[in-house]
Amino acid sequence: MKKCYMINYLISTRIILSFIFTILYSFASAQYCTNNLGGSGCNGTRLITDFKIVGTTLSNLNNGCVMLGTNTYSNFPASGNTTASLLLGGVYTVKVTTTGTTSKKLWIDFNHNSLFEESESTMICVSSVAGIVDSVQITIPTNAVLGTTGLRVRSTSNYFAPPACEYRASGETEDYTISIVPPAGNCNGAPNAGKVSINFPSPCTNTPFTLSLMENIQAYGLSYTWQSSTDSLAWINLHTDTTVDYITSQTQSTFYRCIVSCISGGVDTSATLFFKTLCYCSSAPTHSNDDDIGRVKIGTLDNQSANTLDATGNPGSTHTYTDFTALPAPNLIQGHKYPIAITQINSNLWYNCFITVHIDFNQDGLFNTTNELFPIGSTISAGYNTLYDTIFIPFGTLGGLTRMRIVLNEGGTAAQSPCGSYGYGETEDYTVNIVTPPVCSTPPLAGAAIANDTVICLPTTVGLSLQGVNISLGQHYQWQTSPDNLVWTNVGLPLIFYDTVFNVSASTYFRCQVSCSGFTANSNSILVDFVSINQCYCPSGESTPPYNNTNFDIGKFTIGNFVNGTDTAMQYNPAAIHSYSDFMSLPPIVLNRGSNYNTSITIICDTALSGIFAFTGYKYLGIDYNQNAVFDGTDVSGYTTPVITIPNLFNNTITVPANALIGLTRLRVLVRNSTTPTSSMFCGIYGVGETEDYLVYIDYPLSSAYEISTAVSNDLVVYPNPAAQTLNISLSNAKDETAQLKLFNLAGQLVYEESFEGKYNKAIDISRFSAGLYVLQVVSETNFTTRKVVIE
């Protein structure tokens, strides 16, 4: 809160001399850290473009960038618009703009010891938006040393608060010289009253809150008369004093203003503020033990209410409801998406909880379940006790302070209520400030296109957005696609939001055309690459060095008539040195739909028998029958008997599902240490064991007596087969829908593709393809047909 402090206007000669000495000493001795600060360079990102202290001469706009050796560092002179005089006890608004998504922090050397200490720092923004002004209020301590001193502002990667002197790979550092001076003399003429400030959400009846002023003049001889009104027409006096802050409460929604008077006779009245009386519903669990919220991060808000390193056994997890509404409210700009992170802690064991966020956008005292509810998700385990998501602030929501509620409910759901009681967990309330963005400028700044996934293996939906774009009213976004980054085609109609999704089935370039008042600007483009499915399987293998210094491997694997490996010696086997083995260069293993196959795994180890069986091991076989690059559901066949006795040969029988997709896919077999066999064990790094990958070709059932010749099925005709120069393909009875024709080699690489609608009849040139077995696929919205093709 802003405070004005009265001191004796007549300063003794001794104080004046001391003040002058302090200025000279500070100026001569200030040597601040400037080495190894780092930064992204003047052509990099996250640079500071504007720095301003409102109400002072310091207004360094479009300030450029300077390098000091390898550091992105500027030291601005103590003159003109790059310096300021700040009053003891004064409250100032600092405004900073950067070119990228950044964290921003400010230091003022109040004690003049040539160090920027954390006690002298103010966090400006945890995660800013490029080109958007972030502001924070600072108060000059009444015990600050008078005279010339240093001010530093730094920017770096978002969510990483920069220290004053440590190296950072991105961002910029700017130093200024400012003066701390005694409060000004008596006011003269009409003062500037500014506007009413209440850093508190709308209260219930009779809840105390503090009225103050911002952007007002500070000087001696001022008095403040607070007034209230129920209709903004008839005003009554509440309180008159020489200090600005006034604590009050209300029983109904009320208008407030402040009349600021100077002893010289000048008077000014502040802008009026309407403050609603709203009483939000209560929310809390019935038990104080077990689950709690340990930390909340969104925008400039970073509230860690307990130690979050201990997900379980945490003594700080004892709360039911906590009111954090008095914390500084983060600015949430309409039309922008904000990352949010919420951490769960437990006083005892771990229990899964569901987290929801509720924001009263229309400021009616209610949390509705349509556009004011954000289901964040369910926590999984103590090792993953922080949930991450994004919250979008819609255009058209009411601006100003409002309530944000977070509910962590053990056993809750996405539809859990923001009100009432529940068993275990915690509810926390915060204040957020909804900010209306400015009207769009011309020409607009489009930024760069970004995607949530730039490498896809199967036709899928990809989320697209813009980075570095100015969020503005009246701005529209037209997404475009291109196959070659040269010729662009509009997709759909212009949008008022820049986030969108597209179905992608081939390698495609995307960009966004941003328009404002007839002016347009194109974003940088991004390639969403459609790659072979073989590049999209999760990694799997033993860690290095091996767990317990014991290497436990697959010596021999068989399925049907296929055999790979000859190592069968169980103990002291020097061949047991593998973590992951790629056998996909071997000829594909042909398996038929509906057929049964015997499989076996032989286990080998490089130590004695006792070393092998110090843990429980599980053996798994997975075949990606639905060709989605994931071993899930019926893809998994397990040898789930623990490894406990000799012999070291394990057998099983699998059945290829009758609906398995025809064509090339992957087989994964692994042996690993574990206690609970699950399909997720096919991915990731584990302690002891080995993973092996093979190519498999799923063929038609043996009973169909399929022959490689002219093939007719579902009116798909492929001839001649085998073929050498030309392959004729005909689809005579097709629906009027878009379909793709694709030809793959046995390595899973796409060598030819074409889109068509309805019937298809064409001869394609295959002379450039190597001899061998290929797979032809025709895929549409309602049909999936595969044929084997031999090229001679």
Side-chain angles (χ1 to χ4, degrees):
M1 296 297 177
K2 295 181 172 59
K3 298 181 182 296
C4 289
Y5 297 91
M6 302 294 293
I7 66 171
N8 193 337
Y9 179 66
L10 298 176
I11 305 175
S12 68
T13 303
R14 179 176 297 179
I15 295 177
I16 294 175
L17 292 174
S18 175
F19 174 50
I20 296 172
F21 174 78
T22 302
I23 293 175
L24 295 174
Y25 176 81
S26 299
F27 181 77
S29 63
Q31 298 293 327
Y32 297 102
C33 53
T34 56
N35 294 326
N36 200 32
L37 294 174
S40 51
C42 290
N43 293 323
T45 59
R46 304 185 176 97
L47 302 178
I48 300 169
T49 59
D50 303 305
F51 177 68
K52 180 177 183 179
I53 302 180
V54 178
T56 74
T57 56
L58 204 164
S59 182
N60 193 16
L61 309 181
N62 300 315
N63 54 32
C65 175
V66 177
M67 297 295 294
L68 177 64
T70 59
N71 302 310
T72 313
Y73 170 82
S74 299
N75 190 350
F76 292 98
S79 62
N81 68 334
T82 56
T83 190
S85 294
L86 306 181
L87 303 176
L88 283 177
V91 180
Y92 297 92
T93 299
V94 174
K95 295 188 175 183
V96 186
T97 308
T98 54
T99 60
T101 303
T102 60
S103 289
K104 309 170 189 177
K105 201 169 184 180
L106 173 82
W107 294 262
I108 298 179
D109 183 14
F110 291 125
N111 59 10
H112 293 208
N113 66 348
S114 298
L115 299 173
F116 291 120
E117 298 162 301
E118 278 304 296
S119 60
E120 299 172 326
S121 69
T122 301
M123 194 69 190
I124 300 171
C125 182
V126 176
S127 180
S128 69
V129 179
I132 295 296
V133 178
D134 289 297
S135 60
V136 69
Q137 285 189 343
I138 61 171
T139 301
I140 309 303
T142 55
N143 62 348
V145 178
L146 297 174
T148 303
T149 191
L151 180 152
R152 171 165 292 181
V153 59
R154 295 196 75 184
S155 63
T156 188
S157 300
N158 58 319
Y159 291 128
F160 294 94
C165 296
E166 291 181 13
Y167 175 85
R168 285 295 182 267
S170 64
E172 182 185 3
T173 303
E174 291 186 355
D175 277 357
Y176 297 84
T177 301
I178 53 102
S179 296
I180 308 295
V181 299
N186 292 339
C187 59
N188 185 21
N192 178 12
K195 56 186 179 181
V196 179
S197 171
I198 306 176
N199 192 21
F200 194 79
S202 299
C204 291
T205 299
N206 295 323
T207 300
F209 55 89
T210 301
L211 296 169
S212 188
L213 292 176
M214 61 187 304
E215 300 180 10
N216 58 307
I217 192 172
Q218 300 176 52
Y220 287 115
L222 294 176
S223 63
Y224 305 89
T225 299
W226 285 99
Q227 295 182 324
S228 67
S229 172
T230 57
D231 58 6
S232 75
L233 298 174
W235 293 89
I236 61 172
N237 291 341
L238 298 175
H239 181 75
T240 299
D241 202 344
T242 55
T243 58
V244 64
D245 293 346
Y246 173 58
I247 299 175
T248 186
S249 63
Q250 63 188 34
T251 59
Q252 60 181 323
S253 299
T254 305
F255 294 89
Y256 293 96
R257 72 184 186 186
C258 185
I259 299 175
V260 181
S261 304
C262 175
I263 58 175
S264 65
V267 176
D268 189 33
T269 302
S270 73
T272 299
L273 177 69
F274 180 62
F275 201 38
K276 292 181 180 179
T277 292
L278 297 176
C279 198
Y280 289 92
C281 60
S282 61
S283 173
T286 55
H287 299 85
S288 62
N289 57 316
D290 288 342
D291 326 287
D292 263 21
I293 300 170
R295 189 175 191 177
V296 175
K297 295 175 65 176
I298 180 172
T300 56
L301 173 68
D302 184 357
N303 181 40
Q304 184 167 337
S305 53
N307 168 31
T308 57
L309 297 178
D310 298 325
T312 58
N314 195 319
S317 181
T318 59
H319 305 95
T320 54
Y321 170 79
T322 312
D323 185 353
F324 290 116
T325 55
L327 292 179
N331 290 335
L332 304 183
I333 303 171
Q334 295 172 7
H336 187 57
K337 187 178 292 183
Y338 287 88
I340 188 169
I342 303 172
T343 303
Q344 177 186 337
I345 56 175
N346 286 69
S347 61
N348 191 18
L349 302 177
W350 179 264
Y351 300 96
N352 294 351
C353 297
F354 203 97
I355 299 175
T356 51
V357 174
H358 312 261
I359 301 179
D360 184 17
F361 285 133
N362 61 0
Q363 300 178 27
D364 63 352
L366 305 172
F367 299 111
N368 67 59
T369 58
T370 54
N371 67 331
E372 296 181 346
L373 166 66
F374 299 91
I376 304 302
S378 179
T379 54
I380 300 173
S381 68
Y384 301 92
N385 62 321
T386 299
L387 288 186
Y388 301 91
D389 207 336
T390 55
I391 289 179
F392 180 73
I393 311 300
F395 285 115
T397 56
L398 287 179
L401 299 174
T402 190
R403 181 75 60 98
M404 179 177 73
R405 172 164 293 178
I406 300 174
V407 179
L408 181 144
N409 182 359
E410 182 181 316
T413 67
Q416 65 194 21
S417 174
C419 302
S421 62
Y422 49 95
Y424 295 85
E426 186 189 5
T427 298
E428 292 185 353
D429 278 353
Y430 294 88
T431 304
V432 295
N433 186 33
I434 306 299
V435 178
T436 301
V439 176
C440 63
S441 59
T442 55
L445 177 65
I450 56 174
N452 63 345
D453 197 350
T454 57
V455 176
I456 59 174
C457 316
L458 298 167
T460 188
T461 298
V462 173
L464 297 172
S465 187
L466 289 176
Q467 187 175 58
V469 63
N470 284 334
I471 303 169
S472 306
L473 294 175
Q475 200 155 268
H476 291 83
Y477 308 89
Q478 174 66 67
W479 283 95
Q480 299 176 324
T481 62
S482 172
D484 54 10
N485 207 24
L486 297 173
V487 179
W488 293 91
T489 303
N490 290 345
V491 180
L493 297 174
L495 307 171
I496 60 172
F497 307 118
Y498 54 74
D499 294 310
T500 188
V501 294
F502 285 101
N503 293 321
V504 181
S505 58
S507 296
T508 306
Y509 289 90
F510 291 93
R511 76 178 185 187
C512 189
Q513 190 174 82
V514 182
S515 61
C516 173
S517 301
F519 293 84
T520 61
N522 294 322
S523 72
N524 294 342
S525 62
I526 187 173
L527 174 64
V528 177
D529 204 6
F530 199 79
V531 300
S532 167
I533 194 173
N534 276 329
Q535 300 180 40
C536 300
Y537 286 91
C538 61
S540 173
E542 178 188 69
S543 62
T544 303
Y547 180 80
N548 287 341
N549 297 318
T550 302
N551 218 6
F552 189 59
D553 278 12
I554 300 171
K556 183 179 180 181
F557 168 65
T558 70
I559 180 169
N561 296 324
F562 176 83
V563 179
N564 184 46
T566 58
D567 292 307
T568 58
M570 187 172 186
Q571 303 180 69
Y572 299 112
N573 193 324
I577 58 173
H578 303 97
S579 168
Y580 169 78
S581 299
D582 183 353
F583 292 116
M584 290 184 294
S585 60
L586 298 176
I589 305 166
V590 179
L591 304 177
N592 296 90
R593 280 179 173 177
S595 295
N596 298 325
Y597 295 91
N598 294 322
T599 68
S600 69
I601 298 176
T602 303
I603 308 301
I604 61 175
C605 185
D606 64 356
T607 64
L609 179 64
S610 59
I612 300 176
F613 306 122
F615 64 93
T616 301
Y618 286 87
K619 300 149 292 296
Y620 263 85
L621 172 70
I623 300 175
D624 185 16
Y625 292 122
N626 60 2
Q627 300 180 25
N628 67 345
V630 179
F631 298 103
D632 52 10
T634 57
D635 295 348
V636 178
S637 300
Y639 308 80
T640 56
T641 306
V643 181
I644 52 176
T645 59
I646 296 177
N648 60 329
L649 177 66
F650 299 89
N651 298 287
N652 196 14
T653 301
I654 67 165
T655 301
V656 179
N659 62 347
L661 291 183
I662 303 298
L664 284 171
T665 190
R666 184 174 297 203
L667 180 152
R668 174 166 289 179
V669 60
L670 59 91
V671 178
R672 62 175 288 182
N673 60 304
S674 183
T675 56
T676 304
T678 63
S679 60
S680 63
M681 291 173 58
F682 280 92
C683 297
I685 303 300
Y686 47 86
V688 180
E690 184 191 5
T691 299
E692 295 182 350
D693 278 349
Y694 299 86
L695 274 180
V696 167
Y697 183 83
I698 304 297
D699 207 345
Y700 290 93
L702 291 173
S703 59
S704 66
Y706 176 80
E707 296 179 356
I708 299 179
S709 59
T710 300
V712 181
S713 177
N714 295 331
D715 298 297
L716 176 63
V717 178
V718 182
Y719 67 94
N721 198 0
Q725 300 294 322
T726 302
L727 186 65
N728 296 283
I729 304 171
S730 175
L731 186 63
S732 60
N733 187 21
K735 296 181 180 179
D736 290 332
E737 59 182 359
T738 301
Q740 285 82 39
L741 182 145
K742 301 180 180 182
L743 187 66
F744 297 89
N745 62 21
L746 281 189
Q749 297 170 320
L750 180 66
V751 298
Y752 181 85
E753 67 174 331
E754 182 180 355
S755 297
F756 64 93
E757 291 186 4
K759 297 179 181 180
Y760 182 88
N761 190 356
K762 187 174 181 180
I764 63 174
D765 181 10
I766 59 172
S767 60
R768 65 185 185 278
F769 301 142
S770 302
L773 180 63
Y774 288 75
V775 178
L776 177 70
Q777 291 183 350
V778 176
V779 183
S780 69
E781 296 177 3
T782 60
N783 193 25
F784 184 96
T785 305
T786 304
R787 294 287 179 268
K788 288 190 296 186
V789 175
V790 175
I791 297 179
E792 297 179 329

